[in-house]
Amino acid sequence: MLDPENSLSTRSFIARPTTGTGYSGIHVQLDGVPSHHLPLLLAAYQYKFGRDVEAMSRHLIDDVAVGWDELGTDLLDGAPPSLVAALTGGEQWPSRTLDRLITPDGSPPRRMSVTDETADGQDMQWGYILHTEGIEVISLLHEDIGPVVDWATDPRTAFNDHPAAWSSLDPAPVTRASRSTPPPGAPAASPAKAHAPRPATRR
């Protein structure tokens, strides 16, 4: 279950793929672990954005002036109440951007873009790449690429937050949702799979 009361500064980014194995995206300051981001992103794709990954990318990446402070339950708009309750326990909190960030010299904050060339220097811990087939989860403490979680995966699935568990050579470390049937209107859950076309790069 998502827990807004225990927000942690776990830096991550959400990005779209670019040429080759590259990506370009935006910084997210809080709660960057898979157990927080993946349920929100999967549900947002399946319901709020009507399975339109480009519309989702525009909202999460292109339309953000500076960066995200945190992702909130507004991403669950349109999802069945039973799914929202299962993910949040009835709690609600909005997504918040960093538009009001105050810089040391008082100048306007700059957009906090993240790419495959800058992620290391920005001390990113997790990356979420929005591919057409699913979300590539990168544990940047260990690799530059990662396994892909299929868009059809049930958002109630339990996701492992241990950085070493997300190897590009193995299927994503997930535990099936406890319920045997997916929420109304959602496609049947598919197993997460390794991102086979991309060679592993160990850090």
Side-chain angles (χ1 to χ4, degrees):
M1 183 183 298
L2 302 173
D3 186 1
E5 299 300 324
N6 293 308
S7 295
L8 298 174
S9 182
T10 304
R11 292 175 301 281
S12 65
F13 62 88
I14 299 171
R16 56 160 53 88
T18 57
T19 304
T21 60
Y23 51 80
S24 178
I26 195 73
H27 172 95
V28 184
Q29 180 66 23
L30 298 176
D31 298 324
V33 294
S35 65
H36 181 271
H37 277 6
L38 287 175
L40 288 174
L41 294 174
L42 290 168
Y45 172 83
Q46 293 172 12
Y47 298 101
K48 182 181 178 74
F49 297 102
R51 303 189 182 99
D52 185 340
V53 69
E54 184 54 35
M56 183 174 174
S57 297
R58 287 196 300 269
H59 175 79
L60 291 172
I61 303 167
D62 302 338
D63 295 344
V64 182
V66 178
W68 290 104
D69 187 22
E70 65 176 327
L71 303 181
T73 55
D74 50 289
L75 291 177
L76 303 178
D77 289 352
S82 59
L83 174 60
V84 175
L87 294 180
T88 69
E91 297 286 338
Q92 292 190 354
W93 64 96
S95 297
R96 297 184 300 162
T97 62
L98 292 166
D99 295 358
R100 297 183 180 180
L101 186 69
I102 299 175
T103 61
D105 62 1
S107 62
R110 293 186 297 176
R111 179 175 167 82
M112 302 171 74
S113 300
V114 181
T115 72
D116 52 295
E117 296 182 350
T118 67
D120 279 346
Q122 292 169 283
D123 200 23
M124 292 289 113
Q125 295 165 276
W126 294 93
Y128 301 87
I129 317 301
L130 308 182
H131 294 274
T132 55
E133 68 271 25
I135 307 170
E136 180 184 2
V137 181
I138 304 177
S139 172
L140 286 144
L141 296 176
H142 292 272
E143 293 190 67
D144 296 318
I145 59 176
V148 171
V149 177
D150 194 290
W151 284 121
T153 302
D154 192 323
R156 297 167 297 180
T157 299
F159 296 100
N160 192 321
D161 288 339
H162 196 292
W166 292 84
S167 170
S168 62
L169 301 177
D170 301 315
V174 303
T175 302
R176 293 283 188 158
S178 58
R179 300 182 187 181
S180 59
T181 57
S190 299
K193 53 184 178 293
H195 201 314
R198 302 174 70 181
T201 303
R202 293 285 178 183
R203 290 182 176 272

